[in-house]
Structure formats: C-alpha cells, structure tokens
Amino acid sequence: MKLLFIADPLDHFKLYKDSTFAMMEAAAARGHALFAVEGKDLAWNGGKVTAHVTPIRLTGRRPDWHEDGTPAWQDLTAFDAVVMRKDPPFDQEYLYHTYLLELAQGQGARVFNRPASLRDFNEKLAIARFPQFTVPTLVTSREALIRDFLAEQGDVILKPLNAMGGASVFRIRPGDANLGVILETLTRHGAETVMAQRYIPEIKDGDKRILVIDGEPVPFALARIPAPGETRGNLAAGGTGVARPLTERDRAIAQALGPHLKAAGILLAGLDVIGDWLTEVNVTSPTCFREIMDQTGFDVAGMFMDALEKQAAP
C-alpha cells in the first residue's frame, strides 16, 4: 500500500518513544511505501485536495533514520490510507486541516482518524458523552462557577481544553493564595472555556493510557506515574511510564467506548483513566505504542497496521 503520514517535522521525532515512527516501522516491515507531509503542505487546488508529499525510506540507522525522495504534489486519493498524526494544539490551523481532509474524504481518500471526528471529539470534552465513567466535572469560562465547584468538591484539577502533555494543568484547593490569578490566566478573564474535575487521588498510581484500535483495547495500559512533588503523570511533565495489564474496570470502560469510537471512524484512540475514572479521550495523535511494546512485547504497531490494512482494503 501507499501510506501518507501527516505529521510534525520528521527531524523532530524522538524515536525512542514516537508512536508514529513505530507505525512507520511496522508498515515498512510489511513492504508498504511511506510518504510524509506536514499540515502546512496541504492544499485545495483545481477542485482537488493535494499535498506536497515526500517519499521516505527507513534506513534502520540513527540519527539519520530516513532517506527522502523527491517531493511532489499528489492528490490525496492517490494513497491507500492517509494517517493524520499532527500533534495538538488543536488550533485554527489544525481546524483548517480537518476541513481539507474532509473534502479529500468526499473525493474518495481514506483518512484516519475521520476528519469530522477529529473536530467532534474534543479530547477533554468527549468524556461528557460517557458520564457514567467520569468524576464530577465542570466546563465553563465563568470564574464564579469554578469557585462554587471548588467549594463543593474541595480539591479540583483545572485545565485548558486545547493543550497536551499536561500543559497548564493546575491542582487547586480552597484558600489557595494563587487561585485568583490561576482562574484569570486559564480563562483569560472569562474569555476562554476550561474544564474543572474533582481531583482523583489515585493519580499517585498513574494516569493510565488505554489504546483502543478499531474498537478493541490493547491488553496493556501505560500507567504514567507522576514525578515526586508533581500532580501530573504526563510523560512530557516528567512522569514515568509503567506498562500494566488492563484491570476489569479499564476493560469495561474501553469496551463500552469502543463501538462508539469505531462508528465515528476513529481507528485509534487513547483513553486516559485515573483509578476507575475516565478523564480524556485522545483522538488526534495518541501515543505510548513504544513504551507498551518495549515493556510487554505486545505488538501494538502490528495491531494498528492490521486494522489500517483492513480499513484501507478496497
């Protein structure tokens, strides 16, 4: 197959943990042809969605891990699968990319995850579709509502709706001397909507990433354990990743969400679970392939490629 990966610049990849690179390795091992492009190189031209794509070949070396062919403009319909792996933030430019990819899909391109679902499943707000698995949660831009929620819950996590890697995530408690400035900063004085969730003390045991591929869970989660003195378990915030078998509750959450994700054209999702509670549904560029593969031997990238080949088959 011809596979096009829309991603951040290849030279920015951290190979020891990059899930997109793991996908590329699995694809190359099966003989598929690889192409790469950045979102800025998508275009709508002459009624067609095209991209200035670069053929790449994996070398098996480090750090020069890829050799590039000659870039050229190609219709997205020329590829068997277009895999959208651009990292957040989900900003205005990312939104435009989903519009272009949706147009390409209408012309016959096979795009994963489905562009409309990349828009519809905000990674924080998507949990509102599954309230049976969530702790008390508030979404608002109003400072007074957040203060009331904090007084009611006593211990709260506050976070923006469009960030990743634990960026700008705060734990707040009544009496915090910085409460006012935290609320002003995150809501931009009431101009920006944020999420507040009751603090889940089981974060000390890890923020679990559960990968769901074509509606089915990977049997291991990566528990991202916060560094000493930290509230956030994100690997980008210094957390340590420990692969663990899914618990009964983990599996119940994944199996309940799986059919909904599959029906929405979400081939790959990353569920974040703390303790017994769902906190996020990641659909833009879920990670943790490499850590689970290295620690357990389970071939996550192979499972993904099996699903991609099935979905991309004529």
Side-chain angles (χ1 to χ4, degrees):
M1 297 196 305
K2 292 176 62 178
L3 305 181
L4 175 62
F5 289 85
I6 304 173
D8 292 306
L10 301 185
D11 291 339
H12 293 182
F13 282 21
K14 297 177 180 176
L15 302 188
Y16 68 94
K17 67 172 186 176
D18 195 283
S19 295
T20 305
F21 176 61
M23 295 175 185
M24 289 178 170
E25 281 193 312
R30 299 182 182 205
H32 300 313
L34 305 181
F35 299 79
V37 69
E38 295 179 47
K40 64 184 179 64
D41 291 321
L42 294 171
W44 184 61
N45 189 5
K48 296 284 186 69
V49 180
T50 66
H52 197 234
V53 308
T54 300
I56 63 170
R57 185 183 71 83
L58 305 191
T59 66
R61 302 189 300 267
R62 306 289 188 273
D64 54 335
W65 61 273
H66 62 95
E67 292 180 348
D68 296 349
T70 302
W73 288 100
Q74 294 195 44
D75 292 354
L76 264 60
T77 54
F79 299 93
D80 296 285
V82 178
V83 185
M84 178 53 158
R85 291 289 299 174
K86 172 72 177 70
D87 282 343
F90 194 110
D91 53 15
Q92 195 73 13
E93 195 63 18
Y94 193 107
L95 181 65
Y96 296 149
H97 297 161
T98 68
Y99 289 143
L100 289 172
L101 291 173
E102 191 168 21
L103 287 170
Q105 188 178 55
Q107 295 168 351
R110 297 184 178 94
V111 184
F112 307 94
N113 289 322
R114 185 183 296 165
S117 293
L118 290 175
R119 294 195 302 271
D120 292 346
F121 277 75
N122 175 274
E123 302 196 325
K124 309 296 191 296
L125 280 171
I127 66 170
R129 301 167 183 251
F130 312 102
Q132 69 271 35
F133 297 122
T134 66
V135 294
T137 300
L138 169 72
V139 176
T140 185
S141 61
R142 289 182 174 265
E143 181 177 325
L145 286 179
I146 298 172
R147 288 182 179 273
D148 289 344
F149 184 76
L150 175 59
E152 177 184 320
Q153 300 299 327
D155 199 347
V156 166
I157 293 293
L158 193 65
K159 54 189 175 182
L161 296 179
N162 66 345
M164 64 171 287
S168 300
V169 174
F170 290 88
R171 181 183 179 184
I172 54 176
R173 282 164 280 196
D176 190 323
N178 294 311
L179 177 59
V181 70
I182 290 171
L183 297 182
E184 291 168 5
T185 300
L186 282 189
T187 68
R188 293 178 53 238
H189 295 274
E192 193 159 311
T193 303
V194 298
M195 173 174 282
Q197 290 177 314
R198 187 182 73 196
Y199 175 70
I200 305 171
E202 289 86 354
I203 183 61
K204 70 181 188 302
D205 300 318
D207 180 354
K208 292 174 285 188
R209 167 59 55 83
I210 301 170
L211 295 169
V212 179
I213 298 174
D214 200 22
E216 295 296 327
V218 170
F220 297 91
L222 190 75
R224 296 160 297 173
I225 301 170
E230 257 288 359
T231 298
R232 302 167 299 171
N234 307 76
L235 301 182
T240 301
V242 178
R244 296 172 178 163
L246 298 187
T247 67
E248 186 175 335
R249 173 70 168 184
D250 294 339
R251 193 171 293 278
I253 293 173
Q255 289 178 338
L257 270 62
H260 296 276
L261 297 169
K262 184 170 182 174
I266 298 173
L267 185 68
L268 171 64
L271 312 182
D272 288 352
V273 173
I274 301 175
D276 289 337
W277 305 105
L278 178 69
T279 61
E280 294 186 14
V281 179
N282 295 273
V283 300
T284 51
S285 59
T287 60
C288 299
F289 277 42
R290 180 64 64 189
E291 295 88 344
I292 294 173
M293 292 167 67
D294 288 346
Q295 293 183 37
T296 70
F298 183 84
D299 190 4
V300 182
M303 179 177 173
F304 175 80
M305 285 307 307
D306 287 343
L308 185 65
E309 289 170 345
K310 178 182 176 182
Q311 291 290 334

